[in-house]
Amino acid sequence: MQTKIDNVEIIGITTCGTYPTWIDYTIASMYNNIDKVVVINAGYDIDHPEKGAIIPLEREHKLIQNIDINNKIIEINPTQEQIDQIFSTTCKQGQDEFGRSTSMTLATQVAHNLPNPSNKKKWILKLDSDQILYQISRSQLIGLILQYPDKSG
């Protein structure tokens, strides 16, 4: 029989925007306490801003690969069309806080659609690329999660 702690899958999500200064710290701070991390790696090409197109960020891709020693990270490089579709359906009056809402929406969709063969409760931990978890263990994190009622029905 699974205990409540054993029946929880924690999926971290975050995004790499155009200037993701702290993204490696963000990912590293949650890495040992979660089961998977979904990272949306997409930003504007700062060398060619006139293009206005979303591209994968090479520096961040290398950082992500170096951190992912246990193969937990799912790096998503969305196309401009995917970003435009989410933006058009989720953003009010064309405002998106510089892509944050669109990228987090895509990360959430990916996390929700990950296979769950053991039928565990999924909990999604959303961190912006300038946030980190300070010295918290997985059991402490799950303890915090279990304080909130399950609204999934």
Side-chain angles (χ1 to χ4, degrees):
M1 173 135 178
Q2 289 184 326
T3 66
K4 281 189 169 191
I5 289 177
D6 294 332
N7 198 30
V8 173
E9 178 181 42
I10 304 172
I11 302 168
I13 66 171
T14 193
T15 65
C16 299
T18 304
Y19 302 102
T21 307
W22 307 106
I23 190 64
D24 45 336
Y25 294 97
T26 300
I27 296 170
S29 76
M30 69 171 117
Y31 192 84
N32 289 328
N33 296 315
I34 49 97
D35 299 292
K36 294 283 183 190
V37 183
V38 176
V39 181
I40 305 299
N41 180 355
Y44 290 105
D45 185 351
I46 58 174
D47 293 330
H48 302 96
E50 70 281 357
K51 292 181 181 178
I54 298 293
I55 62 166
L57 304 169
E58 189 59 35
R59 173 188 168 272
E60 287 64 30
H61 173 70
K62 290 177 184 174
L63 290 170
I64 291 166
Q65 286 183 321
N66 289 336
I67 292 168
D68 195 15
I69 59 173
N70 293 319
N71 199 28
K72 291 183 180 185
I73 298 176
I74 300 162
E75 182 180 359
I76 305 293
N77 303 118
T79 64
Q80 185 67 52
E81 293 78 27
Q82 288 173 304
I83 294 295
D84 291 344
Q85 175 62 31
I86 292 170
F87 182 84
S88 69
T89 59
T90 61
C91 300
K92 305 279 187 238
Q93 300 171 352
Q95 297 181 5
D96 185 18
E97 296 181 21
F98 308 105
R100 290 186 189 115
S101 299
T102 301
S103 294
M104 279 299 205
T105 299
L106 178 57
T108 302
Q109 289 173 352
V110 170
H112 276 295
N113 291 326
L114 288 176
N116 187 5
S118 33
N119 204 27
K120 293 182 177 184
K121 293 285 185 183
K122 280 187 185 179
W123 289 88
I124 297 175
L125 174 65
K126 296 180 182 185
L127 292 180
D128 281 337
S129 60
D130 62 350
Q131 295 176 319
I132 62 170
L133 290 176
Y134 288 99
Q135 300 180 348
I136 188 169
S137 69
R138 180 178 172 85
S139 61
Q140 290 170 319
L141 184 59
I142 291 174
L144 291 171
I145 288 169
L146 294 177
Q147 288 179 13
Y148 296 92
D150 182 4
K151 296 179 183 175
S152 64

